Amino acid sequence: MAMAQTPVELLKLKLQSDNQVVRDIRFYGTDIDPNTSAVDEQFTLTIDGQNVPINPELARRLEGLRRSFSYDSLSGGIQVGQPGSPMCLMAGPARGMILETRYLTYENYKITNSGMKPVLTVAQNCLFTSKISPQNATAREEARAALEILFTLSHSLPQGS
C-alpha cells in the first residue's frame, strides 16, 4: 500500500475567510509512506487547481516534515480544542489556515489505512477560533514549518489567477 500508481495528495493548506476557502494549496507525491523514499519519487504542487513548479529540495523538505505529524506514534495524536469565544472587537470575517495531511494508520509496521485529516490550524485574526494541533511539541513545530512553506509558496501565483 505504500507505493501509489499516480500522484496522491499528501498535504493541503486551506486559507479560509469565514467558511469559504479563498486559497487552496495541495502537495502531491507518488509514495504515501513518509518513512520511505525512492529515487524516482515525484512531487507536484497545485495552487487553486493550477500546477506550480516546486524545487525538488523543497519538496523533499516538505516530505521530511510530514513524517512527524502524519501518524499517531510521532504526532502524539491530534488534539482538537474547544473553540473559545473571541475576545476582540474586530469586524469582518474570521480568517485562518488549516493544514491537512495524509494521516496514516500502521499495524505491524504496515500501513493499513490512510486519509486526509486536519492536523494544524493557525488563526489569522482573533475571530478564527478553530484549534487543532499535534500533541507532540516537535510534531507541532514541524507542522507549523510545513504550513509556512506552503503559505509562502502560495504567493508564487497571484490570487484569482
Side-chain angles (χ1 to χ4, degrees), residues 26-123:
R26 296 175 188 235
F27 177 69
Y28 298 87
T30 52
D31 186 355
I32 66 170
D33 191 341
N35 296 312
T36 63
S37 121
V39 174
D40 61 347
E41 193 168 357
Q42 302 281 316
F43 297 103
T44 55
L45 180 75
T46 65
I47 299 174
D48 298 333
Q50 293 186 25
N51 285 333
V52 175
I54 184 168
N55 176 296
E57 289 81 20
L58 190 55
R60 293 226 179 265
R61 172 79 173 129
L62 279 169
E63 179 63 0
L65 290 168
R66 181 175 78 94
R67 180 178 197 275
S68 74
F69 57 86
S70 62
Y71 52 95
D72 284 341
S73 64
L74 288 177
S75 72
I78 304 302
Q79 78 184 29
V80 178
Q82 294 297 318
S85 58
M87 298 298 293
C88 64
L89 300 174
M90 181 178 280
R95 292 187 350 215
M97 297 182 272
I98 300 171
L99 177 67
E100 295 182 15
T101 192
R102 179 150 306 278
Y103 208 79
L104 307 171
T105 302
Y106 284 88
E107 289 178 19
N108 297 323
Y109 305 102
K110 293 185 181 182
I111 298 171
T112 58
N113 192 24
S114 78
M116 294 303 287
K117 178 178 183 176
V119 292
L120 182 68
T121 57
V122 174

